[in-house]
Amino acid sequence: MLRPLAKPALALAGTLSLAACSGSDAATTAFPTWHHPDVNVVSRMVTAAGVATTTSMKPDGTLETVALDLTTGKKLWAQPATMAGRLPGMGVPPPAIVDNVIVSLDPVKKGRWNAALVARDARTGSQKWVRPVHSTFGPQRCGPYVCLSEHTALSSARVVVLDPATGKQKWKLPGIAEVEWSDANRVLLLRLAANPMIESYELKSGKLQWQQPIEQALGSGIDMSGGWAFGSTGENLVGYVAPYTSPRTKKVSTFGLFSLKISDGTINWMRPSVVRVYPSGSPGFAPVVRPVDQQGQYGGFARLDPETGRVMGQITASQVPGSGWWLAFPQRMERLGFLKHNSGGSAFDLTTGNSVPVKDQRGWSFCVTDPKPLPLKGQAPGFYSVAAVCEFDLSNGKRIAGESAPPSWFTGSQDGWRLWRDEKGAIHGIKDGATNSPGMYG
């Protein structure tokens, strides 16, 4: 999924970010765990059919698609990977995995084609089919199929829906779009156009079921250049559009959170003029926001109910300490803390808004507050890896030793497994039976 521009998002986190306080009850030896250190994960991780796959960066700055056995963490295979036309603010994409097929972009340049979309058996890596690509944002799973925006750098840009087993095209759409939700019968696409909208299509036929302009939810003046994120909650899709300041006009675009019904596109609720904070849960799982007034002044912090958009807990602007802090959450996000590195911080009960003692309070925050761009070979500068979070003691601002599992609001969970990247790029897995949910990155 497209994310907010990595560097601005992390810079903003210095003022707006969230980490989690956690007793790390999930990180117990009673659960199956594994650790694969021989990779440098730079994308999200996706799973299906007992296989996890991701994009890793090699020491020479090239990329590779890596497939791991989900149960053991054992590497099944790896193949060279690339990007062709993806924008830096989108981050490095993961492969798409559908049933027992992994689809990724290989560095195969031939004539007008800059890469090749290659489908492989998820467990063996044996090649199934190849599709030449000029430019693309990368493949995505859409129900039982693979969705691909291709020719993205050309006026002939289009979205194609492919059979993962054969590569055969099922249907297509003009323009550029990104998958935000899908099941076996339906896919919701974010159509990237002058008037961005969410559209629902029947997967089998490609028939348009409904469409909802984002301006209907947040108002006019939408500019997707600042980034966006989506997450589902039950029967609804929750979306976030980040602010973007035009370098020409210096005006800030319309931004905020909204929810719509997956079945018919009806808008459930809207929260304009709030920014999502990082790290935090998915908009569809645990949205935490900070309001911004017309003068650009930030208010307090609030956790919203993704079902209703109502405030579940908040602290006021007057309770926010000065500067130099990073926010912190507990495992279930019932408290909010302000982490100050190597010094004492503060914490608040999100339900009551009252201050609580920071003694024995632990929190998860970004391991690195000034990330460096990836030294990718042959790619535009400005790509960053997905972030890692580390555990801190809020009473003294020091990192806590050990390798506890981060909270599920950060990692997400699929089929009982939670996967995460540590600050060295290694992959960790734990099967703690957590309910299926999206993580911070979807």
Side-chain angles (χ1 to χ4, degrees):
M1 281 186 151
L2 203 69
R3 305 294 161 193
L5 296 173
K7 188 64 172 181
L10 290 178
L12 190 66
T15 308
L16 308 177
S17 67
L18 300 164
C21 310
S22 167
S24 302
D25 52 347
T28 168
T29 54
F31 296 121
T33 61
W34 51 261
H35 170 215
H36 192 90
D38 300 327
V39 290
N40 181 13
V41 174
V42 293
S43 79
R44 292 188 300 116
M45 292 156 275
V46 291
T47 63
V51 175
T53 185
T54 188
T55 304
S56 175
M57 185 181 72
K58 298 170 71 174
D60 65 357
T62 60
L63 298 173
E64 65 177 356
T65 299
V66 177
L68 306 173
D69 181 89
L70 185 58
T71 303
T72 64
K74 178 184 176 182
K75 183 187 285 188
L76 299 173
W77 53 268
Q79 288 287 344
T82 191
M83 296 182 288
R86 190 168 171 94
L87 306 176
M90 302 174 73
V92 179
I97 181 167
V98 185
D99 296 327
N100 63 343
V101 177
I102 291 175
V103 184
S104 57
L105 210 61
D106 280 27
V108 180
K109 187 169 177 62
K110 186 175 182 181
R112 66 187 292 256
W113 308 110
N114 297 313
L117 189 71
V118 181
R120 296 181 172 91
D121 182 278
R123 300 205 72 87
T124 68
S126 60
Q127 185 172 302
K128 289 181 170 292
W129 52 265
V130 178
R131 181 184 181 94
V133 171
H134 174 273
S135 48
T136 180
F137 290 165
Q140 293 181 283
R141 177 176 184 165
C142 49
Y145 302 125
V146 175
C147 284
L148 181 78
S149 281
E150 60 181 9
H151 306 326
T152 52
L154 305 175
S155 58
S156 57
R158 63 184 186 176
V159 180
V160 293
V161 179
L162 309 174
D163 183 324
T166 65
K168 181 181 178 181
Q169 182 175 301
K170 308 297 289 187
W171 48 277
K172 63 181 179 179
L173 294 169
I176 300 173
E178 181 182 80
V179 176
E180 304 304 351
W181 181 91
S182 68
D183 64 9
N185 303 306
R186 179 197 302 262
V187 60
L188 302 191
L189 298 176
L190 168 62
R191 298 298 301 274
L192 297 170
N195 182 19
M197 61 182 65
I198 303 294
E199 295 180 342
S200 175
Y201 289 88
E202 184 182 68
L203 269 170
K204 188 175 182 181
S205 66
K207 178 184 177 182
L208 176 66
Q209 297 171 318
W210 56 259
Q211 58 185 186
Q212 183 64 267
I214 294 179
E215 287 189 345
Q216 284 292 113
L218 297 178
S220 60
I222 297 290
D223 189 325
M224 307 302 288
S225 302
W228 61 89
F230 285 82
S232 62
T233 170
E235 302 301 316
N236 305 316
L237 182 73
V238 181
Y240 170 65
V241 177
Y244 176 72
T245 302
S246 168
R248 182 176 59 84
T249 66
K250 308 302 180 185
K251 289 185 177 180
V252 179
S253 63
T254 299
F255 59 97
L257 248 69
F258 65 96
S259 167
L260 49 78
K261 289 183 181 178
I262 290 172
S263 60
D264 60 13
T266 302
I267 296 173
N268 299 307
W269 56 263
M270 57 196 77
R271 284 275 178 177
S273 301
V274 298
V275 292
R276 182 189 178 199
V277 294
Y278 299 89
S280 64
S282 160
F285 180 68
V288 180
V289 299
R290 195 173 190 188
V292 185
D293 66 21
Q294 292 184 339
Q295 287 70 46
Q297 298 298 310
Y298 291 103
F301 292 84
R303 178 179 173 182
L304 306 180
D305 181 346
E307 292 284 355
T308 64
R310 294 173 181 168
V311 173
M312 297 175 63
Q314 64 181 325
I315 68 166
T316 64
S318 62
Q319 293 171 293
V320 178
S323 60
W325 46 258
W326 295 70
L327 290 185
F329 277 124
Q331 189 83 13
R332 287 169 293 279
M333 304 177 81
E334 70 272 17
R335 289 185 303 278
L336 181 152
F338 293 91
L339 167 68
K340 290 195 173 185
H341 290 285
N342 299 312
S343 64
S346 55
F348 294 84
D349 185 304
L350 256 182
T351 304
T352 65
N354 295 331
S355 175
V356 296
V358 292
K359 188 175 186 293
D360 299 325
Q361 294 281 345
R362 295 184 172 193
W364 292 87
S365 188
F366 289 124
C367 301
V368 177
T369 58
D370 58 343
K372 303 294 188 293
L374 295 169
L376 294 176
K377 186 176 181 180
Q379 297 290 339
F383 283 94
Y384 292 80
S385 66
V386 292
V389 291
C390 294
E391 195 174 19
F392 292 85
D393 183 335
L394 291 184
S395 67
N396 58 27
K398 296 184 182 298
R399 188 182 298 189
I400 295 171
E403 294 187 350
S404 300
S408 59
W409 59 258
F410 179 79
T411 65
S413 181
Q414 293 296 320
D415 300 321
W417 279 95
R418 299 199 294 120
L419 306 179
W420 67 96
R421 170 192 184 272
D422 67 25
E423 60 182 318
K424 296 180 180 178
I427 304 178
H428 297 254
I430 182 170
K431 189 176 185 181
D432 58 7
T435 304
N436 281 7
S437 63
M440 188 181 89
Y441 287 101

